[in-house]
Amino acid sequence: MTAVPPPISASGSDRTSAPHADTGQGTVRGTLEQGAAVFRGIPYAAAPVGAERFRAPAPPEPWEGVREAVAFGPTAPKRPYAPPLDRLLPDPEVPGDDCLNLNVWTPSPTRTGLPVLVWIHGGSLLHGSSAVALYDGAAFARDGVVFVSVNYRLGIEGFGVFPDAPANRGLLDQLAALTWVRDNIAAFGGDPGLVTVCGESAGAISIAALLAAPRSRGLFRRAVLQSGVPTALPVHEGRRTTELIAKRLGVAATARALAAVDPAALLAAQTAVTSGGTPLTGGNSFQIVVDGDLLPRDPAEALRDGASAGTDLLMGSNTEEYRLWFVPSGLTERLSRTKLRLALLKFRVPRATARTYRANRPGATPGELLGALATDLLLRVPLNRLADARAGATGSTHLYEFGWPSPVQRLGACHALEIGFVLDNLDRPDAVALAGPDAPQELADAMHAAWVRFARSGDPGWPAWDASRPVMAFGPGAPAAVRAPRDDELRGWPPYRDER
């Protein structure tokens, strides 16, 4: 468990060589690591405790003297991933109330005008934090990009739906963090007008919502969606998980009632209600909702109608996303042909589409076939559709697909595998757990360089989306731009099935 950040020091210090930066709340002192200045645990909002637990984020309290920013700040209340994912996805916990904090890696606080990349972690809106070792930003700082990683409220505290509290509080936290970046990042060498917001999975879903939120305008210039698409539920549907948790605890499904519940008991009830499902197979979960305030309309519709037209967008998915959930759990072998047929009916998969996928995978089990179909239905097709809708937009659109297969537990090109390559952190234990010890560094070099180029210029290094539908394939061998990969499978899905 990571140590709690050192207390604020109002007196002098013998750490005169440590990097300092002046924020709107006070001065912070970080550390020098691998040639970068690193500041951890900086509060961007007040601690969400007591009366603030289910409210919108409030401004952070200022401090006098110099605040030590050398250790990760507290993480949002959460539970570890359930076995067997806990062995593949480490999720450290840092105790404390000030969970609305962020970290900065910069080449130097004395620099000016550097591009900024803000990382929003994934974890199904239930797990994760900026303290995950894999999310170290040293490689971006090494390459001249200021890297910021943020915490935000999770689970029922961040995304529970109540009649007496604002919805989407986790998104409001992210907006508060981006506002802090706009107002303070120049003190760390960054350009507030050159911000790229980047996230994976639930982090990418959050960013898609922010792209559609009018309140986010002017807070970032570019966005990266890794394995996440614009999606949200109506409020009445998003309330279901909250109501189940409240029922389990025997209290009213209101913020007032749940604020009085012991946090440990609330987490236990949350875990009981949300366990058993996956992002592909479904189950009780927390989702972003169309609340009529922060999100006036469904983000997928808003983005297709041009809500993000002026923002440069880089997005993509992994070829075998499903294998993170299906393989360790044994679902690839357990799923019967009968259950596969029922699943195809549930997802309304056209018979001809299923035949195409089956013909392209002659040795696939029913579980592997369902996983491939679900991956494309839930990720690849919506991303292609969004890219098509942005044709002619003032902001550029670039797509990628990550296809390098991990040898670990037959995970293949699974969900989250690309993160270690993008952040150039293949030597971290988190990356080794998914990719093994011999993952190709040359592929990390290529992906990381593309993300750096995109943060600087909006051009990651391959053709922007057009009628030929170019996709950069990051896989075995040298990366290469591929025109409409697996187009025969894509043609099987609406809207392409009816248009071609």
Side-chain angles (χ1 to χ4, degrees):
M1 186 174 293
T2 309
V4 177
I8 297 171
S9 171
S11 61
S13 169
D14 57 0
R15 296 181 59 238
T16 55
S17 62
H20 290 64
D22 295 325
T23 75
Q25 290 71 48
T27 301
V28 290
R29 175 167 47 220
T31 61
L32 290 173
E33 302 174 15
Q34 305 177 59
V38 184
F39 302 82
R40 295 183 174 92
I42 304 173
Y44 65 81
V49 296
E52 306 299 322
R53 191 170 171 193
F54 293 99
R55 293 183 182 174
E61 293 291 332
W63 59 83
E64 295 182 359
V66 178
R67 183 186 183 104
E68 298 289 353
V70 298
F72 288 115
T75 52
K78 58 188 172 65
R79 286 284 183 86
Y81 288 94
L85 286 185
D86 58 337
R87 296 191 296 273
L88 296 170
L89 302 174
D91 195 5
E93 179 184 355
V94 183
D97 294 330
D98 279 310
C99 64
L100 301 185
N101 59 74
L102 51 77
N103 319 293
V104 181
W105 282 258
T106 176
S108 172
T110 63
R111 298 276 295 274
T112 59
L114 296 174
V116 181
L117 189 142
V118 179
W119 175 258
I120 298 180
H121 69 80
S124 302
L125 303 179
L126 281 168
H127 305 284
S129 77
S130 64
V132 173
L134 184 62
Y135 304 155
D136 186 284
F140 277 98
R142 175 198 68 203
D143 294 327
V145 177
V146 178
F147 183 91
V148 181
S149 60
V150 306
N151 287 340
Y152 56 96
R153 278 175 285 183
L154 304 169
I156 196 165
E157 295 196 5
F159 296 93
V161 180
F162 305 106
D164 56 340
N168 299 315
R169 291 171 301 282
L171 279 183
L172 292 173
D173 295 342
Q174 295 168 17
L175 275 175
L178 288 166
T179 301
W180 185 97
V181 168
R182 180 197 64 193
D183 296 343
N184 294 280
I185 205 62
F188 298 84
D191 181 349
L194 199 56
V195 173
T196 297
V197 61
C198 176
E200 185 268 346
S201 192
I205 294 171
S206 296
I207 293 169
L210 294 177
L211 282 164
R215 244 186 269 180
S216 73
R217 288 172 187 160
L219 293 179
F220 53 88
R221 184 170 175 178
R222 302 186 175 105
V224 182
L225 308 183
Q226 296 174 210
S227 302
V229 301
T231 183
L233 293 178
V235 167
H236 70 277
E237 292 184 25
R239 188 179 291 125
R240 172 174 168 77
T241 300
T242 303
E243 291 174 340
L244 290 172
I245 292 171
K247 181 178 180 180
R248 188 176 185 89
L249 291 167
V251 301
T254 64
R256 181 178 180 180
L258 286 165
V261 174
D262 175 72
L266 184 57
L267 272 179
Q270 173 179 288
T271 301
V273 168
T274 58
S275 62
T278 76
L280 295 186
T281 59
N284 297 319
S285 62
F286 289 99
Q287 304 287 337
I288 293 165
V289 297
V290 181
D291 58 6
D293 180 19
L294 178 64
L295 289 180
R297 57 187 300 210
D298 179 85
E301 294 177 0
L303 294 182
R304 287 197 295 267
D305 287 346
S308 67
T311 305
D312 297 328
L313 189 55
L314 169 61
M315 55 187 179
S317 59
N318 300 351
T319 307
E320 299 172 302
E321 299 268 0
Y322 73 95
R323 295 186 76 85
L324 179 66
W325 300 286
F326 282 27
V327 173
S329 67
L331 189 58
T332 46
E333 285 75 31
R334 286 201 320 271
L335 192 79
S336 67
R337 294 187 181 276
T338 299
K339 289 185 177 179
L340 171 61
R341 286 195 291 270
L342 292 174
L344 296 182
L345 288 172
K346 176 183 177 181
F347 287 118
R348 299 180 180 179
V349 178
R351 291 183 180 179
T353 304
R355 284 196 297 269
T356 299
Y357 277 74
R358 189 178 291 110
N360 290 348
R361 298 163 179 80
T365 66
E368 289 171 331
L369 184 59
L370 176 61
L373 286 159
T375 293
D376 284 4
L377 173 64
L378 299 177
L379 286 171
R380 182 166 173 255
V381 171
L383 292 176
N384 273 255
R385 190 178 182 191
L386 176 54
D388 289 343
R390 284 171 53 89
T394 54
S396 64
T397 305
H398 291 82
L399 256 66
Y400 75 89
E401 181 171 330
F402 179 82
W404 181 80
S406 169
V408 175
Q409 298 183 30
R410 300 181 297 110
L411 289 173
C414 71
H415 189 70
L417 180 62
E418 88 289 353
I419 300 174
F421 293 83
V422 168
L423 273 64
D424 194 10
N425 284 332
L426 292 181
D427 59 339
R428 299 301 172 113
D430 313 46
V432 174
L434 280 178
D438 301 315
Q441 180 60 45
E442 61 273 17
L443 185 56
D445 293 341
M447 290 195 79
H448 177 72
W451 266 242
V452 168
R453 284 193 297 268
F454 182 75
R456 286 176 178 163
S457 67
D459 181 359
W462 63 89
W465 193 257
D466 59 18
S468 67
R469 319 185 81 241
V471 176
M472 175 57 79
F474 291 105
V482 179
R483 303 287 174 171
R486 303 198 313 283
D487 200 38
D488 61 330
E489 295 177 353
L490 187 67
R491 283 198 302 269
W493 299 102
Y496 308 110
R497 183 167 178 260
D498 300 325
E499 293 177 357
R500 297 189 179 191

